Amino acid sequence: MKKIALISLGALCMLLGLVFVIIPGPSLIFFIAGLFCLSFYYPKARDYLTLCQKALTKSCAYIDKKLAR
């Protein structure tokens, strides 16, 4: 039951992320939440989540560096 709930929640978050790419909204938050839910049972989702975390860390450091000037 827990597995079905997590996979359903992850799929719903990914779907909402796709919808919010088209219309303005917090698409990145929903993508990361969906990947987080799916990463419990799918190793490929865990790889994508790690990739997103590294990219966000790198982009935030870049923005901080640019704003510090």
Side-chain angles (χ1 to χ4, degrees):
M1 187 69 169
K2 181 180 174 183
K3 181 177 181 178
I4 294 171
L6 270 176
I7 291 172
S8 298
L9 181 64
L12 178 67
C13 286
M14 294 297 285
L15 184 65
L16 282 173
L18 285 174
V19 169
F20 283 131
V21 165
I22 298 169
I23 60 174
S27 63
L28 193 59
I29 293 171
F30 281 108
F31 277 131
I32 292 175
L35 284 173
F36 177 73
C37 291
L38 292 173
S39 71
F40 286 105
Y41 296 106
Y42 298 107
K44 194 68 173 172
R46 192 174 301 128
D47 295 340
Y48 286 131
L49 182 62
T50 304
L51 182 70
C52 287
Q53 288 173 337
K54 287 179 184 177
L56 284 174
T57 302
K58 191 174 182 180
S59 65
C60 287
Y62 176 78
I63 290 172
D64 285 344
K65 187 177 179 181
K66 288 293 182 181
L67 290 177
R69 291 183 185 187

